Amino acid sequence: MGAILVIGILLFAFCKQVVDEEATVDGITYIGYRAVQVNRRITEEFKGVLTDEKVEKIIEKYDLPYYYAFDSGEISFYENFLNGFINDYLSDKYVQNWYSDYGDYGAEKNIYPIADSKLGTVREITGKEIILEYYEGWHTFFEIIHIGMISGSILILFSVSVIFVNERQTNMLQLIFTTKEGREKEVYAKIAAAMTVAVSVWAVILILDLLLCGIVYGLDGLGCYKGMVTGYFSMKQYSMIPLRSYIMKAIMLSFFGIVSLCAITICVSVNARNNLNAFTVALMCYVAPVAVSLIIDNEDGVVKILCFAPIYMVVHSVIDYIYNIWMLILVISILISIICAFRAYRKYSRQQVA
């Protein structure tokens, strides 16, 4: 039931992303899946190295987006992927008459050459050309993945927290520890089973998200920069990470975040008094780093070290915060996993049964 619920949350979040997609081409506005397909089709013509000539052709063919405000306060953006990209990175993006009673919103027609824009600055810093591809598949992938990983983490807490303590609560230890290899082999089997569950949850969420985005959006955009795809493009170093590198970092951090969560939960389960106590303590350990980070002063960068916590590691945007020390965070997470698993083994195998 928990697995079905997690998959349902993932599918719901993905469907919402698709439903919210819009694309306006030749005066016709497409919504949802149809909008995604239209954006994919029109981008194919201009795919590749971005040049000023391509920008001129895009504006000539699709113009800049038009904005319209309704009486309800909602604003419609009549744009597609191409002219939206130009409007974001190569225009002043100034919206006229923001408080106008007439409700007309029009962007300025000032288009900058690539060399005079932030894209040009990035090109100078990196020494590489700017690649234009339809990267919305990866944008949606990152929008969905942390929702799935947080949901999966809760499922792991429910599943793993009772794996050892339940035997004490049901008095099964008295039977297991009387067998020839019960005290030694059972602990290995339980740790292996818990890790298998945790890694399986991680893998299903990752693969399902990847498949959904690949089938609907396509997975173009690997030649782009992280900031372009996630929508927070700046001159910061973490914003200019090549997307391939960013994806690998995010996947590695989420994997070891899930593994460390499993190891910590196992350690809690061995020391708990009953099932409820095990889940409650494991949940407190899971959310405690968030509470601590809200209390302590971050001027000395202590909060960055707290990012080894599983609740942070499964959120890809944490890479922006720990960009310079992400390998240290990874090493700390691995050490914590090993220490917790070892302590669980020693505690369980040395238990005394009356």
Side-chain angles (χ1 to χ4, degrees):
M1 290 177 63
I4 293 172
L5 180 61
V6 170
I7 292 174
I9 292 172
L10 196 68
L11 291 174
F12 175 79
F14 178 78
C15 290
K16 187 177 185 305
Q17 285 289 125
V18 175
V19 169
D20 289 343
E21 294 290 333
E22 290 188 12
T24 300
V25 176
D26 298 328
I28 302 174
T29 299
Y30 303 90
I31 299 175
Y33 177 75
R34 182 58 179 156
V36 174
Q37 300 309 304
V38 168
N39 278 327
R40 290 181 66 179
R41 175 176 55 81
I42 65 175
T43 306
E44 282 295 318
E45 180 182 351
F46 302 96
K47 186 177 178 180
V49 176
L50 185 67
T51 62
D52 289 323
E53 290 74 19
K54 281 187 179 181
V55 173
E56 291 177 4
K57 289 180 181 179
I58 291 172
I59 297 302
E60 181 181 347
K61 191 168 185 177
Y62 299 110
D63 204 355
L64 281 174
Y66 176 78
Y67 302 85
Y68 185 82
F70 298 94
D71 293 336
S72 62
E74 296 181 358
I75 301 174
S76 289
F77 299 84
Y78 295 97
E79 66 179 21
N80 54 54
F81 176 77
L82 291 175
N83 61 14
F85 179 89
I86 302 302
N87 195 45
D88 286 339
Y89 298 114
L90 296 172
S91 79
D92 49 22
K93 202 179 179 181
Y94 175 73
V95 181
Q96 297 175 334
N97 303 322
W98 190 259
Y99 299 100
S100 170
D101 294 333
Y102 300 101
D104 282 333
Y105 290 71
E108 287 281 350
K109 301 297 182 181
N110 297 326
I111 304 298
Y112 301 119
I114 296 175
D116 297 335
S117 67
K118 65 171 64 175
L119 295 180
T121 304
V122 171
R123 187 171 61 183
E124 290 180 6
I125 294 173
T126 62
K128 298 179 180 179
E129 294 290 343
I130 303 298
I131 304 298
L132 175 62
E133 292 179 330
Y134 184 64
Y135 49 68
E136 286 299 319
W138 289 110
H139 175 79
T140 301
F141 173 83
F142 287 123
E143 288 291 310
I144 302 303
I145 191 67
H146 69 274
I147 297 174
M149 289 298 175
I150 293 293
S151 302
S153 297
I154 302 300
L155 175 59
I156 291 169
L157 287 173
F158 272 108
S159 304
V160 177
S161 61
V162 299
I163 194 168
F164 284 109
V165 69
N166 192 55
E167 290 179 346
R168 182 184 300 112
Q169 183 168 311
T170 57
N171 296 319
M172 280 297 295
L173 284 180
Q174 297 178 10
L175 177 62
I176 293 172
F177 279 7
T178 58
T179 61
K180 182 178 180 180
E181 297 176 333
R183 189 178 290 270
E184 293 183 2
K185 285 195 173 181
E186 197 220 7
V187 65
Y188 291 128
K190 282 187 173 292
I191 292 175
M195 288 295 178
T196 301
V197 169
V199 172
S200 297
V201 170
W202 171 85
V204 168
I205 293 170
L206 177 68
I207 293 171
L208 180 59
D209 190 14
L210 196 63
L211 283 175
L212 290 171
C213 293
I215 292 170
V216 176
Y217 289 90
L219 297 178
D220 284 347
L222 290 175
C224 300
Y225 292 104
K226 172 264 175 184
M228 296 166 61
V229 175
T230 58
Y232 303 101
F233 201 36
S234 68
M235 300 303 105
K236 301 292 185 180
Q237 194 173 13
Y238 58 77
S239 185
M240 296 183 284
I241 303 173
L243 184 60
R244 285 186 178 88
S245 177
Y246 185 78
I247 292 170
M248 293 306 300
K249 287 182 173 68
I251 289 175
M252 288 176 64
L253 286 172
S254 67
F255 175 79
F256 286 105
I258 291 295
V259 169
S260 64
L261 172 64
C262 180
I264 293 169
T265 307
I266 288 172
C267 190
V268 169
S269 181
V270 171
N271 291 277
R273 296 187 300 273
N274 53 57
N275 291 347
L276 179 61
N277 175 249
F279 174 74
T280 303
V281 174
L283 182 62
M284 290 176 62
C285 292
Y286 181 64
V287 301
V290 177
V292 173
S293 65
L294 294 175
I295 297 173
I296 65 175
D297 187 3
N298 189 38
E299 290 185 2
D300 54 359
V302 174
V303 174
K304 285 189 177 183
I305 303 298
L306 288 177
C307 290
F308 69 80
I311 195 171
Y312 287 127
M313 291 186 69
V314 299
V315 180
H316 68 91
S317 58
V318 76
I319 296 174
D320 297 353
Y321 193 55
I322 61 170
Y323 174 74
N324 294 325
I325 62 169
W326 77 275
M327 281 297 295
L328 174 62
I329 298 299
L330 202 62
V331 170
I332 293 174
S333 176
I334 293 171
L335 290 176
I336 288 175
S337 301
I338 294 172
I339 292 170
C340 288
F342 181 71
R343 285 182 61 85
Y345 164 76
R346 286 175 59 87
K347 175 69 175 181
Y348 184 81
S349 60
R350 293 182 177 185
Q351 289 185 92
Q352 300 297 321
V353 178

